[in-house]
Amino acid sequence: MNAAGQQGFGYRAKRTFTRMIVFLLILGLGGAVVFLLSQLNARTFTLALMDGQLAVMKGRSAPMGSVPYRPGDPRLADAYAPIPVEGQDVSNLVLQKFTERDELDRALFPLLEALARPRIASDEPARVDQGLYYLRRAEKLSGITEEQRLTLQKLMTDVAYYQARQKLEDARRLVSDALAQLKLAAESESRHARSANQMLSTVSPSARELEEALRRAVHTLSGPQAEPQPAPETPVPPPAPTTAPPEGTPPTPPVPSAQDAGATP
């Protein structure tokens, strides 16, 4: 009986130990699966339509779920901020999942291009500014393709004139503000009044000319040019009428030339 009891106890202990090992293996495999799914979900990007804006979502460190994407680099925060849809069809974008940020960049670029292109073609400064905003966001997408990069470069070239005009206007304002500050300092009783007066007398003539040239370039030369008017056509006078000789008058003989005169015997 003791041997049978010990054998039965050993069998039960072995079976319990085996079950425990199997349970731990299953638990470990389940934990590994959950960990892998969490890692995969944490690397996944999706796009969600919220209040008329396309928001970039990033998976949480869990098998499921996502939160709005907040890049660690503050310079990229604007690149992945919600994008106003403004009538664009984004139904295909919200159905996709992106396992890498480069894939997300390549998917976002066409939307930013579609929002920027009609604005930079406008003559309204406010709309051009909006178009530049979308182009600058597209510039921060490091994962775009070479073809998309060339498209972006072409769009930036199209607005180079506007950017130059804006910088000239900014320069004019800076020069004007600097002259005003120097004049204020020169007329004061501070310890810098003498230096400010010397600086003002030195740079004022050239600065005034530069300010006027910048103002003329921005507000006159960059304005719409009047189409040149065609020069008025000078009327061609009609040919003088030839008067026929009266009847009965003999025709005037031709005057002989020098050669004819020499040839006459």
Side-chain angles (χ1 to χ4, degrees):
M1 289 292 295
N2 290 335
Q6 290 179 356
Q7 185 178 4
F9 175 77
Y11 174 75
R12 288 194 300 270
K14 183 179 180 181
R15 185 176 61 181
T16 302
F17 180 75
T18 303
R19 288 178 177 178
M20 184 178 296
I21 293 296
V22 172
F23 174 76
L24 291 176
L25 288 175
I26 294 175
L27 186 63
L29 289 175
V33 170
V34 171
F35 175 77
L36 292 176
L37 289 177
S38 300
Q39 291 294 312
L40 181 61
N41 189 59
R43 294 177 52 189
T44 301
F45 295 92
T46 56
L47 297 169
L49 191 59
M50 299 179 179
D51 299 327
Q53 293 183 324
L54 194 67
V56 179
M57 310 294 290
K58 193 173 189 298
R60 290 187 284 190
S61 297
M64 298 178 64
S66 60
V67 293
Y69 180 42
R70 299 287 184 268
D73 189 349
R75 294 175 298 178
L76 298 178
D78 188 51
Y80 298 102
I83 305 173
V85 175
E86 299 185 9
Q88 300 292 327
D89 184 12
V90 296
S91 57
N92 187 38
L93 291 176
V94 299
L95 297 176
Q96 299 184 45
K97 288 186 177 182
F98 312 96
T99 56
E100 296 182 359
R101 205 180 75 183
D102 288 354
E103 296 179 359
L104 175 66
D105 292 350
R106 291 192 286 268
L108 288 177
F109 182 84
L111 176 60
L112 294 173
E113 178 191 357
L115 292 170
R117 191 176 289 275
R119 287 171 170 80
I120 63 175
S122 173
D123 292 330
E124 301 176 13
R127 285 182 59 81
V128 177
D129 282 336
Q130 292 176 353
L132 278 173
Y133 166 72
Y134 291 122
L135 291 182
R136 292 190 180 108
R137 289 187 60 170
E139 279 185 314
K140 299 176 182 179
L141 302 177
S142 59
I144 60 177
T145 65
E146 186 63 27
E147 182 180 357
Q148 289 174 333
R149 202 173 302 279
L150 292 175
T151 300
L152 177 61
Q153 184 179 359
K154 173 64 169 58
L155 293 174
M156 293 299 293
T157 303
D158 292 341
V159 294
Y161 164 78
Y162 175 80
Q163 289 180 300
R165 183 178 182 273
Q166 187 62 43
K167 289 179 180 179
L168 289 177
E169 175 63 15
D170 294 341
R172 185 196 66 80
R173 291 175 180 173
L174 288 175
V175 171
S176 178
D177 291 345
L179 290 177
Q181 295 293 334
L182 281 177
K183 183 178 180 181
L184 181 63
E187 294 175 351
S188 66
E189 297 180 358
S190 67
R191 58 191 179 93
H192 299 295
R194 180 180 177 184
S195 298
N197 193 16
Q198 292 177 345
M199 293 175 63
L200 189 63
S201 62
T202 301
V203 304
S204 181
S206 300
R208 293 296 182 191
E209 292 180 4
L210 176 60
E211 182 184 3
E212 181 59 31
L214 292 173
R215 179 183 289 107
R216 186 168 62 253
V218 173
H219 298 287
T220 304
L221 301 180
S222 64
Q225 301 293 325
E227 295 183 0
Q229 299 294 330
E233 296 182 359
T234 304
V236 179
T242 55
T243 305
E247 297 181 0
T249 304
T252 304
V255 178
S257 60
Q259 295 179 354
D260 295 339
T264 302

